[in-house]
């Protein structure tokens, strides 16, 4: 419920995305879901795309994947001093 609230979404929205596998790094231990900061950012991005652009969940997940890859590439460029 806390993660859903942080995304300004209903808990059902989050549960459905978890069932669909949209958060591959989320872990469930003894029925309690654990989210990293990166997974929370992914959830927020997905919710924003679904809300703002009426994107299908699969499209929002794809866009989140692309943004995560872009962020990782930017970080690599910064570490290499090529930014």
């Amino acid at each position: 419920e806390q993660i859903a609230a942080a995304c300004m979404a209903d808990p059902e929205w989050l549960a459905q995305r978890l069932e669909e596998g949209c958060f591959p790094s989320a872990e469930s231990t003894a029925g309690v879901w654990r989210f990293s900061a990166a997974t929370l950012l992914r959830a927020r991005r997905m919710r924003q795309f679904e809300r703002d652009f009426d994107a299908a969940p699969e499209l929002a997940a794809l866009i989140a994947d692309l943004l995560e890859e872009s962020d990782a590439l930017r970080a690599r460029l910064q570490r290499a001093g090529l930014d």
Side-chain angles (χ1 to χ4, degrees):
E1 290 181 11
Q2 293 174 343
I3 298 296
C7 298
M8 292 185 258
D10 294 325
E12 294 82 29
W13 176 88
L14 184 62
Q16 183 180 12
R17 301 311 176 275
L18 284 165
E19 287 177 19
E20 293 171 353
C22 293
F23 304 110
S25 61
E27 298 177 355
S28 177
T29 305
V32 177
W33 284 96
R34 304 225 181 260
F35 286 74
S36 66
T39 304
L40 175 58
L41 176 60
R42 177 183 181 83
R44 285 180 171 169
R45 284 176 167 172
M46 288 178 57
R47 178 66 182 127
Q48 182 179 8
F49 287 118
E50 289 181 33
R51 183 187 61 234
D52 294 351
F53 300 106
D54 198 27
E58 299 83 9
L59 178 58
L62 175 61
I63 293 169
D65 288 342
L66 294 173
L67 289 171
E68 289 166 4
E69 188 172 335
S70 175
D71 291 344
L73 290 172
R74 270 195 206 99
R76 285 181 62 191
L77 285 173
Q78 275 188 324
R79 285 192 304 273
L82 300 172
D83 58 336

